[in-house]
Amino acid sequence: TNADLASLGCDADWIIQRTGIRERRHAPPGMSTGDMAVKAAERCLAAAGVGRDEVDLVVLATLSPDQLLPATATFVQDRLGLCCGAMDISAACSGFVYALATAMQFVATGCSKRALVIGADANSRVVDPEDKKTYPLFGDGAGAVLLTPGSPEQGALAFTLGADGSGIELLYRPTGGAIRPFESVEATDRGWFMKMEGKPVFKWAVRLVEDCSRDVVAAANLQLADIDWWLLHQANVRILNAAVQSLGIDRERVVMHLDRYGNTSAASIPLALDETLRAGGIRRGHHLLFSGFGAGLTWGTMAFRW
């Protein structure tokens, strides 16, 4: 809870007023991004009634992989006992939509019949506890979907993916790659942790959600009022509220769980999808809109008919 972060010098009232977050989950020691991804995948396959031998592709979105090499998706593939290709997608908080769009191409071309798409992040491992304005925003989690061939009445209707690399330093981790590798002299370098310029990212996200949502809904030959559920990346309640106001949509149709989980990065959209579906809110024929946005800067928005 916010109160649990008081020992780090975080202001509980500031967190609620500026973000809407009241609590978040942190994976316990010994649990990795891959472990959470495996658990989400197991629950997904059980809910779908699909055997592991039927899965022919794994696409995992994460900004917090278990290791820099190999892909965490290969760990998931091995733990699940799958016989298929497996790869990671690195698009941060846009990752799930990127992964979904990537797997869609394999399914659409007949190269895959059952693609497992996972969004998972252990953000608590890569956010600096000394950064009092960033650390409280993030939580850990994982969500998974099984993607199969659709029909004219069901499936993805339109999507857009985008990137603006000029905004790299607004949200990034400087240390740990080929540009700035780990060295012994950097043992105490906090460059391993995420750095974020909150204000410009917030302003960019507010504009982006509105513009991309309008474009994708139009490309799907729908009206904004046709969208039954808005499953937007859970970064900040003020971004969600701005979307409601600028798009003129029903607040009750915008799924929100960040008050309980915080920003779970690539996991936020599949978590929202899972909770809404299990609560009976999503029915066949409903129109959904997914929209992710984050580091890169990257974004992905998709209109989907259930």
Side-chain angles (χ1 to χ4, degrees):
T1 64
N2 291 342
D4 294 325
L5 301 183
S7 61
L8 300 176
C10 301
D11 186 324
D13 291 336
W14 181 90
I15 296 171
I16 294 173
Q17 293 170 6
R18 301 293 292 180
T19 71
I21 299 169
R22 296 180 179 275
E23 55 189 53
R24 74 287 295 145
R25 271 65 181 162
H26 286 176
M31 179 181 288
S32 70
T33 296
D35 292 325
M36 292 190 292
V38 167
K39 180 61 68 173
E42 289 174 338
R43 293 179 178 177
C44 174
L45 294 177
V50 170
R52 301 184 184 195
D53 58 336
E54 297 180 67
V55 177
D56 53 22
L57 178 66
V58 177
V59 184
L60 172 76
T62 185
L63 64 77
S64 52
D66 288 359
Q67 299 169 311
L68 295 181
L69 183 73
T72 302
T74 60
F75 170 85
V76 174
Q77 176 264 336
D78 180 62
R79 281 276 300 275
L80 293 176
L82 307 178
C83 182
C84 64
M87 59 180 166
D88 284 2
I89 295 288
S90 180
C93 299
S94 308
F96 179 74
V97 179
Y98 263 74
L100 195 59
T102 298
M104 277 170 45
Q105 312 312 309
F106 286 85
V107 174
T109 57
C111 295
S112 171
K113 295 185 184 300
R114 301 286 187 274
L116 188 60
V117 182
I118 308 169
D121 270 306
N123 293 303
S124 62
R125 310 286 168 78
V126 299
V127 183
D128 190 349
E130 294 185 5
D131 186 344
K132 298 177 180 61
K133 291 188 177 181
T134 302
Y135 188 75
L137 307 184
F138 290 88
D140 303 342
V145 301
L146 189 69
L147 191 66
T148 65
S151 70
E153 293 77 35
Q154 183 186 28
L157 303 176
F159 73 91
T160 183
L161 302 177
D164 179 5
S166 67
I168 285 176
E169 295 188 359
L170 293 178
L171 182 50
Y172 74 129
R173 293 169 63 195
T175 303
I179 294 176
R180 189 177 176 183
F182 293 114
E183 296 178 17
S184 59
V185 295
E186 297 188 60
T188 59
D189 180 11
R190 307 196 76 79
W192 160 253
F193 293 118
M194 180 191 302
K195 312 293 181 184
M196 183 171 73
E197 296 292 336
K199 288 184 178 179
V201 171
F202 172 83
K203 292 179 180 178
W204 165 78
V206 168
R207 294 193 305 270
L208 180 91
V209 170
E210 178 181 4
D211 293 345
C212 285
S213 296
R214 291 186 185 278
D215 289 346
V216 169
V217 169
N221 294 317
L222 299 172
Q223 303 294 320
L224 295 177
D226 295 328
I227 302 299
D228 296 285
W229 294 104
W230 297 78
L231 296 104
L232 309 178
H233 169 53
Q234 307 282 299
N236 188 305
V237 70
R238 293 186 298 149
I239 295 176
L240 302 183
N241 289 340
V244 169
Q245 183 175 0
S246 62
L247 294 169
I249 57 181
D250 184 353
R251 180 67 183 81
E252 297 301 315
R253 295 294 184 179
V254 179
V255 178
M256 188 180 81
H257 60 56
L258 70 90
D259 57 322
R260 290 170 288 137
Y261 306 142
N263 182 341
T264 52
S265 300
S268 72
I269 292 176
L271 286 175
L273 176 63
D274 177 58
E275 288 197 337
T276 309
L277 180 64
R278 286 192 291 110
I282 299 174
R283 298 189 297 276
R284 180 59 58 87
H286 272 183
H287 293 116
L288 317 179
L289 187 124
F290 310 130
S291 187
F293 44 89
L297 296 166
T298 61
W299 60 91
T301 299
M302 179 181 297
F304 198 97
R305 182 179 294 127
W306 196 256

